[in-house]
Amino acid sequence: MYSDDGFRELGRQECLVLLVRAAVGRIVHTRHALPAVLPVTFCLDADSAVLLRTAADSDLARSVDGVVVAFEADEVDARAHSGWSVVVTGRATVVTDPAEHGRLSRTGPRSWVATPRDVFIRIEPELVTGRELAGGRTAYGVDLSL
């Protein structure tokens, strides 16, 4: 990013605060040796890990357990040319501890498509980056409000 390109880099804490506001995000992972992006509901745990809930026999649960993934959420106002985007990169693991699964069943994300046997996926936030577009002008002097 250029220092005056209309974008502002967000600090880790700002990113985490914004993630709490988002209802849906996208997990980016590898499926059959190809990039895959899947929209998901999520929430943050007390330690800022991203938590997802999915069917135990889903392709997602099988393909992300133990591997590094990216998770992205954003909010955009197309009319105002403003918004933000946050990316969390880290290792994903399927929660297998029964006590932890029980806790997350009460406090974790709710699934929009309930299944008889859900699992929780935890993404440890090793790298958290974000940027905000304030709208208006760019580094090139172009007025975007026209």
Side-chain angles (χ1 to χ4, degrees):
M1 287 189 298
Y2 299 103
S3 61
D4 236 358
D5 65 357
F7 288 99
R8 180 176 74 85
E9 286 189 53
L10 301 171
R12 180 184 179 97
Q13 196 56 40
E14 288 177 289
C15 290
L16 295 173
V17 167
L18 289 171
L19 281 178
V20 171
R21 295 181 5 193
V24 176
R26 285 160 291 287
I27 185 167
V28 182
H29 62 100
T30 303
R31 184 171 177 222
H32 304 297
L34 296 171
V37 181
L38 186 64
V40 292
T41 57
F42 73 100
C43 72
L44 294 185
D45 207 355
D47 64 354
S48 301
V50 175
L51 296 170
L52 315 176
R53 187 177 196 157
T54 189
D57 61 352
S58 68
D59 285 341
L60 178 62
R62 283 191 300 275
S63 65
V64 302
D65 192 24
V67 301
V68 174
V69 300
F71 174 83
E72 190 268 347
D74 54 35
E75 185 175 281
V76 176
D77 183 335
R79 187 171 296 230
H81 300 139
S82 64
W84 57 265
S85 174
V86 170
V87 177
V88 174
T89 306
R91 187 163 309 278
T93 55
V94 173
V95 173
T96 57
D97 178 66
E100 180 70 355
H101 188 277
R103 179 184 75 84
L104 294 176
S105 294
R106 293 184 304 278
T107 64
R110 299 286 165 234
S111 176
W112 287 5
V113 182
T115 66
R117 214 173 114 236
D118 286 344
V119 294
F120 294 94
I121 297 171
R122 170 183 294 279
I123 303 171
E124 294 300 330
E126 296 170 26
L127 179 62
V128 180
T129 59
R131 62 189 204 157
E132 175 183 48
L133 175 61
R137 302 183 73 76
T138 71
Y140 309 105
V142 177
D143 185 351
L144 298 175
S145 63
L146 299 176

